[in-house]
């Protein structure tokens, strides 16, 4: 096997604190050695030795080219065993499952998550470590430092075997094994949930629709919901993974999954509706005439976990990202278990999961998970809900209303301002940051700001500190506003405003969240000068 040293320019746009690259496809295609340089830096920092390592992704455009590049660079760096999902496909949670079950040294996951695909869309690559989770900050910072200093990469000129034939193949001293992307994951789901009970629910006439959004969860959903659980033909729509996701934005929210939302609020609605995103780690849950916010979903799963086979022994604790509503905090308080507040980013949960401090965790951005893998998991969340519905014999709306009656309702919304001028978005945050000392005690309309700070996280496991994680304005114990710049976009900047208010009175639980939160929404716009500084008149997406 011939190993060659290739030259590439300095790589200076991968910032610390991220676990991979997420860029326009054109950046990968038009910048020689761009992906290879990143893979080289990862392999040097992660010290995977001879492997084995995993490679797979959501099947979006450029997936096949990226797999070939990773294989060549990995072989050039002495990796002797590489495992690849059939046809290059693996959902992100399934990849975490495979890494953990097979004791691998880590893996490259190829996806830009919920971002659009195709030649004019986005592509991404990230490295997950041996625990199955996204690389922690100490490793991502080391990758950035290595990539910024070095030039070039090693690669071996070896051919890629057929990816549609299962089994191992030896190519010039490198064993490349193609695996069924479903097998390990489906087995794990069956160990956690009562498939026979859920099957009996569907046999009773219960109906569901799962929107795979032309993304990677389609085959998983058909294998589990249709074939194993008997949900029936047609229970999975848009099930074939497409390189461009059929031209849609594969993000399961009220805006981009509007067809499913419209169905669930129509007279033809099935009993249950759900959707997942591009790489299968996000989920949206609906019942007839009801949307379950991700924050409420996490709280409801925690409150009802005792009904589910894999969680009957109880929860060690729960965790949520800081912008996620505090609904799960109320459940943890009643259950007498710890509740951790972390920055946005699944890697912050992994430390807590690895040390047994938590069992369930979630983010408001449609991500929920548990200690079964080290990623958020869309199919898992849907199965958790189905198991609860089957065990209780109640519908989604009944489960939600009973939860609010027991714990109170936390009204919650997120307003996204996408594609902002980065300088204008930075000016909004800088202005808020500068005014923090004077905001505590100030009034916004008739409301008093009782506390104002910029969230920083002190990891209880390794003592690391993460600063600049979002600006929080507190209005007593029951309401707050959070401002945060998101790192998931590839064009411009995305500003997210999170607004919540706790309302114990059941008589008010049926009110529209936008109406209940209107004074706080108005205060957020006025205090941040967002519209004035960005020229926007309103948010791109409201959740």
């Amino acid at each position: 096997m011939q190993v060659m040293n290739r030259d590439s320019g300095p790589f200076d746009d991968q910032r610390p604190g991220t676990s991979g690259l997420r860029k326009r496809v054109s950046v990968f295609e038009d910048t020689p050695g761009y992906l290879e340089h990143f893979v080289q830096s990862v392999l040097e920092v992660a010290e995977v030795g001879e492997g084995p390592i995993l490679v797979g992704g959501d099947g979006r455009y450029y997936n096949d080219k990226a797999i070939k590049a990773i294989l060549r660079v990995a072989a050039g760096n002495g990796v002797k065993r590489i495992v690849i999902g059939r046809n290059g496909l693996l959902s992100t949670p399934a990849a975490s499952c495979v890494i953990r079950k097979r004791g691998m040294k880590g893996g490259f996951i190829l996806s830009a998550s919920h971002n659009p695909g195709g030649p004019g869309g986005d592509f991404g690559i990230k490295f997950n470590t041996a625990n199955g989770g996204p690389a922690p900050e100490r490793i991502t910072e080391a990758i950035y430092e290595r990539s910024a200093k070095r030039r070039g990469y090693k690669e071996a000129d070896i051919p890629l075997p057929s990816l549609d034939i299962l089994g191992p193949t030896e190519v010039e001293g490198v064993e490349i094994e193609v695996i069924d992307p479903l097998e390990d994951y489906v087995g794990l789901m069956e160990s956690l949930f009562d498939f026979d009970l859920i099957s009996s629910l569907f046999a009773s006439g219960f109906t569901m629709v799962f929107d795979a959004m032309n993304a990677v969860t389609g085959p998983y959903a058909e294998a589990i919901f249709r074939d194993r659980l008997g949900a029936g033909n047609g229970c999975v729509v848009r099930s074939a993974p497409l390189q461009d996701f059929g031209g849609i934005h594969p993000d399961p929210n009220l805006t981009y999954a509007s067809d499913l939302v419209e169905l669930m609020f129509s007279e033809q609605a099935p009993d249950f509706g759900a959707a997942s995103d591009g790489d299968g780690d996000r989920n949206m849950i609906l019942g007839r005439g009801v949307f379950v916010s991700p924050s409420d979903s996490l709280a409801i799963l925690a409150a009802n976990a005792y009904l589910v086979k894999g969680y009957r022994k109880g929860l060690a604790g729960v965790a949520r990202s800081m912008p996620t509503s505090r609904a799960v905090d109320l459940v943890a308080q009643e259950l007498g278990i710890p509740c951790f507040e972390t920055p946005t980013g699944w890697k912050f949960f992994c430390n807590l999961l690895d040390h047994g401090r938590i069992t369930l965790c979630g983010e408001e951005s449609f991500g929920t998970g548990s200690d079964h893998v080290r990623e958020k998991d869309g199919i898992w969340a849907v199965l958790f809900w189905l198991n609860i519905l089957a065990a209780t014999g109640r519908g989604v709306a009944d489960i939600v209303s009973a939860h609010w009656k027991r714990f109170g309702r936390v009204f919650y919304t997120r307003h996204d301002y996408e594609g902002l001028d980065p300088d204008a978005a930075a000016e909004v945050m800088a202005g808020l940051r500068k005014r923090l000392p004077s905001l505590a005690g100030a009034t916004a309309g008739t409301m008093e700001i009782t506390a104002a700070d910029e969230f920083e996280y002190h990891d209880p496991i390794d003592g690391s500190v993460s600063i600049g994680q979002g600006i929080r304005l507190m209005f007593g114990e029951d309401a707050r506003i959070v401002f945060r710049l998101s790192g998931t976009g590839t064009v411009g900047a995305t500003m997210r405003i999170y607004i919540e208010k706790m309302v114990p009175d059941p008589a008010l639980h049926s009110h529209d969240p936008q109406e209940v939160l209107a004074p706080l929404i108005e205060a957020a716009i006025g205090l941040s000068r967002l519209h004035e500084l960005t020229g926007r008149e309103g948010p791109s997406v409201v959740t």
Side-chain angles (χ1 to χ4, degrees):
M1 177 172 60
Q2 183 181 7
V3 177
M4 297 159 285
N5 290 306
R6 303 291 194 193
D7 184 52
S8 63
F11 187 89
D12 61 359
D13 61 353
Q14 175 59 19
R15 306 263 71 86
T18 59
S19 57
L21 300 176
R22 188 178 295 178
K23 301 287 183 182
R24 288 292 195 191
V25 168
S26 58
V27 175
F28 289 91
E29 290 187 319
D30 298 342
T31 311
Y34 187 77
L35 182 142
E36 291 89 345
H37 189 128
F38 175 74
V39 173
Q40 176 73 40
S41 300
V42 170
L43 293 174
E44 292 178 359
V45 169
E47 298 179 347
V48 300
E50 295 185 353
I53 63 170
L54 182 70
V55 181
D58 60 16
R60 67 177 57 228
Y61 181 84
Y62 201 74
N63 200 68
D64 53 348
K65 297 177 183 177
I67 289 174
K68 293 177 183 178
I70 293 168
L71 174 63
R72 292 164 66 95
V73 175
N77 281 270
V79 177
K80 298 298 184 184
R81 184 152 184 258
I82 303 170
V83 177
I84 306 176
R86 181 170 50 198
N87 295 320
L89 294 178
L90 271 169
S91 76
T92 291
S96 179
C97 168
V98 171
I99 291 170
R100 292 171 61 79
K101 181 178 179 180
R102 301 185 180 221
M104 307 184 79
K105 297 292 183 66
F108 290 96
I109 299 178
L110 309 176
S111 174
S113 187
H114 55 290
N115 289 14
D122 297 339
F123 185 76
I125 174 174
K126 70 172 184 173
F127 182 75
N128 281 29
T129 54
N131 72 341
E137 283 194 330
R138 60 180 175 79
I139 292 180
T140 59
E141 289 173 359
I143 291 170
Y144 166 70
E145 292 173 0
R146 182 66 59 89
S147 64
K149 293 177 181 177
R150 75 173 344 276
R151 293 181 68 93
Y153 55 92
K154 301 176 184 177
E155 71 171 3
D157 186 14
I158 62 174
L160 182 69
S162 174
L163 295 185
D164 60 355
I165 300 175
L166 298 179
T169 302
E170 184 169 320
V171 181
E172 298 195 27
V174 179
E175 182 183 286
I176 301 171
E177 182 182 3
V178 178
I179 64 169
D180 181 346
L182 308 180
E183 183 178 358
D184 289 347
Y185 179 81
V186 174
L188 177 59
M189 294 301 103
E190 193 157 13
S191 73
L192 294 173
F193 302 106
D194 189 335
F195 274 28
D196 290 339
L197 179 64
I198 300 172
S199 294
S200 68
L201 175 69
F202 286 116
S204 72
F206 183 89
T207 55
M208 76 170 283
V209 170
F210 178 88
D211 187 351
M213 305 193 82
N214 301 318
V216 76
T217 52
Y220 294 87
E222 290 187 331
I224 294 174
F225 304 135
R226 184 192 66 188
D227 300 338
R228 178 62 182 83
L229 298 176
N233 292 328
C235 69
V236 183
V237 298
R238 297 196 284 193
S239 61
L242 302 177
Q243 287 192 343
D244 65 350
F245 306 115
I248 68 170
H249 194 144
D251 193 356
N253 60 39
L254 296 172
T255 299
Y256 298 124
S258 58
D259 290 349
L260 177 63
V261 175
E262 183 178 348
L263 172 65
M264 295 306 299
F265 281 80
S266 73
E267 293 182 358
Q268 293 75 40
D271 297 299
F272 182 74
S276 191
D277 70 328
D279 67 330
D281 62 359
R282 300 187 180 210
N283 72 92
M284 180 171 68
I285 303 296
L286 304 105
R288 284 181 176 169
V290 59
F291 160 69
V292 185
S293 79
S295 296
D296 277 345
S297 183
L298 173 62
I300 290 168
L301 298 188
N304 293 277
Y306 69 95
L307 297 170
V308 178
K309 179 171 69 172
Y311 304 91
R312 284 178 183 154
K313 294 181 180 179
L315 307 178
V318 294
R320 61 167 175 82
S321 64
M322 182 274 289
T324 301
S325 96
R326 293 169 293 175
V328 74
D329 301 39
L330 303 175
V331 176
Q333 183 177 0
E334 182 168 312
L335 295 179
I337 58 175
C339 181
F340 296 87
E341 182 180 45
T342 74
T344 296
W346 209 259
K347 59 193 170 188
F348 294 102
F349 293 139
C350 290
N351 249 2
L352 298 169
L353 290 165
D354 285 345
H355 288 80
R357 303 288 286 274
I358 61 172
T359 307
L360 298 184
C361 49
E363 297 178 338
E364 54 73 37
S365 55
F366 295 82
T368 327
S370 85
D371 56 359
H372 71 291
V373 292
R374 295 298 181 267
E375 290 279 2
K376 47 187 177 279
D377 190 346
I379 295 286
W380 167 91
V382 175
L383 283 167
F384 209 126
W385 266 94
L386 289 172
N387 206 147
I388 291 172
L389 296 171
T392 61
R394 306 173 76 174
V396 174
D398 287 342
I399 294 288
V400 172
S401 61
H403 182 88
W404 289 342
K405 185 176 181 179
R406 178 180 175 186
F407 295 100
R409 181 175 184 183
V410 180
F411 283 89
Y412 183 80
T413 189
R414 187 183 89 185
H415 287 207
D416 293 356
Y417 289 77
E418 299 175 337
L420 296 176
D421 177 80
D423 291 337
E427 186 178 359
V428 172
M429 294 298 289
L432 285 167
R433 190 174 293 116
K434 183 177 180 180
R435 296 173 58 203
L436 277 178
S438 63
L439 285 175
T443 58
T446 60
M447 302 171 294
E448 180 184 357
I449 302 173
T450 56
D453 68 4
E454 188 162 16
F455 180 59
E456 63 179 48
Y457 180 63
H458 296 255
D459 194 298
I461 305 300
D462 60 23
S464 62
V465 178
S466 300
I467 63 173
Q469 298 297 318
I471 291 174
R472 303 183 295 184
L473 306 181
M474 310 298 295
F475 299 81
E477 295 295 324
D478 297 334
R480 68 173 183 163
I481 300 171
V482 174
F483 300 88
R484 178 176 166 269
L485 284 178
S486 171
T488 61
T490 60
V491 177
T494 297
M495 171 75 72
R496 303 196 198 280
I497 305 176
Y498 315 83
I499 302 165
E500 68 176 283
K501 182 178 181 180
M502 169 67 179
V503 178
D505 185 358
L508 301 176
H509 289 171
S510 61
H511 287 207
D512 180 2
Q514 301 304 314
E515 292 181 7
V516 172
L517 299 172
L520 288 164
I521 295 171
E522 184 179 354
I525 300 304
L527 290 166
S528 65
R529 299 173 58 210
L530 178 62
H531 291 179
E532 176 187 345
L533 294 173
T534 65
R536 293 293 179 89
E537 296 181 355
S540 310
V541 178
V542 174
T543 303

